[in-house]
Amino acid sequence: MHNTADLQEIVDEIAARLGASATLEDRSFRLLAYGAQHGDIDTVRQESILRRRATGEVRDYFERYGIAKAPGPVRIPADAELGVLARVCWPLRHGEVTYGYLWLLDSGSLAALESVAPLVARAAAALAQEARSRQDLGRGLLALFSADPSERAGAAIEVPGPVAAIAVRESAERLAALWTLPRGVLARPGSPVALLAPAHLAGEVAQTLQSAYGTAAGIGAPRADPADAWLSWREARHALRVAEHFPRYAPVARWEDLGVHRLLARLGQADLRELAAETAVLDGELAETVEAYLDHGGHAQKTAAELGIHRQTLYYRLGKAERLTHRDLSDGDDRLAVHLGLKAARLCGH
C-alpha cells in the first residue's frame, strides 16, 4: 500500500517551495496526493481532486506529449476545450521506469524546478518500492489460489475480507501496468492474469484490466474469509471462459450472473464434447438459428426479429434442424438436449 502520508508530505513541500499548485498521480492517472491551491485552478485539477482520476480524454491529451517516456519535466500547453491550463508534468521515474506523474500548474513561477529534484526522486522511489512490494505479494498469490491445502497454508499473504478473485485474459499486443491498480489489489501476470481484490472493487478492477488488454475477464463470487479465495479464483476462471464464448456475458462476466452456464463451465472437455456431439450435424447458420430460438423460449416472432429473417425462413430452418438431429423441438427433453449441445459446442470452441 502506498505510504500516503509520505507522498502528501512530498507534494506539500514541492508546492510550498515553488508556489505552484501540485498533484501527484500514479501511472494510471489515479490521484495519490495534492497540495494547497496556488493561483488559478482549471477543470482538470478540480475533476482529479473530486473524482480521484483524470478522464480518458484528458489522459490522451497529456500522453500525446510523450510524458510516459520523458526523462525530465515536460511543459504542456493549455487547451481551452478540455479546460486545461498550461502545466508542467514531471514523470516519476526510477530505474528507467515511469511509476507516476507530478503535475504543476504553470503560473509563470516555475523557474526553480531543479530545487525540488530530490523530492521528485524520493516520490519516484516510493512508488517503485510499492510496485516491488506488489510483485512480491503477487508471487504468493498463486499459492493462495491453489486447490492444494498444503500450498495455501504456505501462502504468506494476509488480506482483509471480503475479497473476490478476477481472471483476465492476457494479450500479446497490449500490456497493463499492474502496479497502478488500486491499493489492496494483488496481481500476478500469467495465463490468465490472476488478481485478488476487495469485493467492492472487483468490478472496477476487472473493467480496467479488460479494457487495457482488450480481451475478456471473469469475476468470482465474493468470499468473506480470504482463506476461501481459491474457490473464488476457480469461479473467476470459469466465468472468464463463459465471457470468451458467449457474447451475452462479454466482456466481463460475474459468476453470480451466469445461471445454468455455471454448470456447463464446470464440465471438462470430454463431457462437453459428449454434449456437443448432439448438435454436431448443424452448420453455423442452423446452429445459430436453433440456439436463438431456444434462448427465446421457442418464441418465433422474437427469434425471427433478432436474426432479421422471415418467420417462414425460421420454420424452414427449424424443420431442417429437427430432421438432421432426429429431435423434436416441441418436446421438452429433446429441446433440452439440443440446447445443452449448442451451449457445450460454444465452450468447446466450435
Side-chain angles (χ1 to χ4, degrees):
M1 181 180 294
H2 293 296
N3 187 337
T4 306
D6 189 33
L7 294 177
Q8 186 62 57
E9 180 183 329
I10 292 172
V11 170
D12 287 341
E13 188 168 349
I14 289 174
R17 285 194 191 183
L18 299 178
S21 300
T23 55
L24 192 152
E25 297 175 337
D26 65 18
R27 178 66 182 269
S28 66
F29 294 86
R30 183 169 55 90
L31 183 67
L32 300 178
Y34 63 94
Q37 179 64 31
H38 293 262
D40 294 336
I41 185 171
D42 64 2
T43 303
V44 172
R45 177 173 165 85
Q46 288 178 321
E47 290 292 305
S48 179
I49 292 173
L50 292 174
R51 301 179 184 276
R52 315 300 293 183
R53 186 186 294 273
T55 67
E57 188 177 19
V58 169
R59 294 198 297 268
D60 290 342
Y61 176 72
F62 289 151
E63 288 180 333
R64 193 184 310 160
Y65 291 90
I67 61 175
K69 295 182 179 180
V74 177
R75 288 192 176 274
I76 298 176
D79 186 302
E81 289 187 9
L82 287 178
V84 175
L85 291 177
R87 66 216 315 115
V88 169
C89 173
W90 197 329
L92 301 174
R93 291 175 65 82
H94 187 84
E96 299 186 354
V97 176
T98 299
Y99 292 97
Y101 303 106
L102 172 70
W103 298 94
L104 302 161
L105 279 184
D106 191 351
S107 61
S109 59
L110 299 176
L113 278 178
E114 286 303 317
S115 68
V116 298
L119 291 170
V120 172
R122 181 174 145 196
L127 294 181
Q129 178 60 43
E130 160 70 7
R132 285 194 294 271
S133 297
R134 287 194 177 208
Q135 289 171 357
D136 292 340
L137 289 171
R139 281 189 279 272
L141 187 58
L142 293 188
L144 186 66
F145 283 166
S146 173
D148 186 338
S150 61
E151 287 191 31
R152 294 201 302 273
I157 296 179
E158 292 185 8
V159 292
V163 294
I166 304 164
V168 185
R169 183 62 61 204
E170 72 286 6
S171 170
E173 292 77 31
R174 302 188 190 181
L175 293 175
L178 298 179
W179 66 82
T180 66
L181 292 170
R183 63 190 63 184
V185 178
L186 305 182
R188 171 72 172 171
S191 183
V193 178
L195 302 106
L196 184 67
H200 70 284
L201 290 178
E204 173 190 339
V205 171
Q207 291 282 358
T208 297
L209 280 192
Q210 179 276 319
S211 296
Y213 286 119
T215 54
I219 306 174
R223 293 297 191 282
D225 186 350
D228 294 328
W230 68 280
L231 295 170
S232 183
W233 171 239
R234 184 171 63 184
E235 294 164 351
R237 285 184 290 123
H238 290 329
L240 169 61
R241 191 179 177 193
V242 172
E244 290 180 311
H245 291 94
F246 293 92
R248 172 183 174 186
Y249 295 106
V252 177
R254 288 183 176 272
W255 179 250
E256 303 101 313
D257 299 337
L258 300 184
V260 71
H261 293 83
R262 291 184 295 185
L263 298 176
L264 287 170
R266 288 190 178 108
L267 296 179
Q269 285 297 311
D271 291 326
L272 288 172
R273 283 195 296 269
E274 183 179 343
L275 285 174
E278 184 70 42
T279 57
V281 294
L282 301 180
D283 61 22
E285 184 178 71
L286 279 182
E288 179 186 11
T289 300
V290 176
E291 185 175 11
Y293 175 71
L294 296 176
D295 283 346
H296 284 295
H299 196 296
Q301 185 174 349
K302 289 182 179 179
T303 304
E306 179 183 304
L307 297 176
I309 60 176
H310 193 277
R311 265 196 285 183
Q312 290 303 317
T313 302
L314 172 64
Y315 293 138
Y316 168 77
R317 292 181 185 177
L318 294 177
K320 183 177 179 180
E322 288 181 321
R323 291 191 298 274
L324 289 172
T325 59
H326 304 291
R327 293 289 189 176
D328 179 359
L329 294 180
S330 66
D331 178 84
D333 287 343
D334 283 357
R335 286 163 71 115
L336 179 60
V338 172
H339 208 179
L340 288 175
L342 293 168
K343 300 300 184 185
R346 279 188 180 272
L347 284 176
C348 286
H350 297 167

